[in-house]
Amino acid sequence: MEEEFRVLLKRVRAELVSPAEFTAYERLVALVRTDGRAARDALADVLVAPERPLWAREIAAFALGVRGDRRAFETLVLLLNYREPVRCATAAHVLARLRDPRTARAAAALATNPLRTAYALHPVRLLSELRAPESVPALLATLERLLAARDHCWPVARACVEGLGTLGDRRAEATLVAAREHERLRPAAVLALARLNGRAGVRRVRDVPRR
């Protein structure tokens, strides 16, 4: 069992308060460790069963997602945009490994939603990790909106800058230059631009015809 799952179980266990919750928790963890088709079907039932606590759905979605079971997708996207950053981070970790083709579109929709900017940090980071066709346009749209906004939401804006530097797409150059004018974004923007220019230089050298 990977370390991230151990951390999740430890966190969830600390949230439990009643004997009934502890009993349900132990049964669910035993189900996760059983594996097999029947166990995965039972975990999928947890995701849609009425009145199941969020922690139970989170454990089930994690266990299914890391095994590539796309029935976890909807729950993981819900958690990716949740109000608790630790749950968002866990969901992003699993979604990056699920390899569901819907993930990039969902992350882009969350990152670019102006009403959910406060919860956009992990969708932005996920887009950078996915390197999907949706990644650069979504990061650019989010960063450009934040640069023009009264509330720049610096952590999200910085994550966009860092992600654009990681992705190395020349379409980001003008926006990164604008980000460099903001003191809180300047170090990340300078680094991102350096990475862009470095990669462009590599491409130029490779494009030179050999004699």
Side-chain angles (χ1 to χ4, degrees), residues 9-79:
L9 294 182
K10 183 177 180 180
R11 168 168 58 81
V12 167
R13 189 175 180 85
E15 297 174 359
L16 307 179
V17 294
S18 70
E21 286 180 324
F22 279 103
T23 299
Y25 167 85
E26 295 294 345
R27 288 176 178 169
L28 183 57
V29 172
L31 184 63
V32 170
R33 289 172 174 157
T34 301
D35 201 8
R37 178 60 183 270
R40 289 195 294 272
D41 287 345
L43 290 171
D45 289 341
V46 171
L47 300 180
V48 297
E51 300 183 2
R52 293 305 295 263
L54 182 63
W55 60 260
R57 287 186 285 156
E58 184 178 12
I59 290 174
F62 191 112
L64 290 170
V66 295
R67 291 167 180 158
D69 192 319
R70 292 179 179 176
R71 288 177 289 184
F73 176 77
E74 286 80 6
T75 300
L76 290 170
V77 170
L78 170 68
L79 293 168

Side-chain angles (χ1 to χ4, degrees), residues 196-209:
L196 248 65
N197 292 328
R199 290 180 181 180
V202 169
R203 285 195 294 271
R204 284 194 294 269
V205 169
R206 289 176 177 173
D207 289 342
V208 173

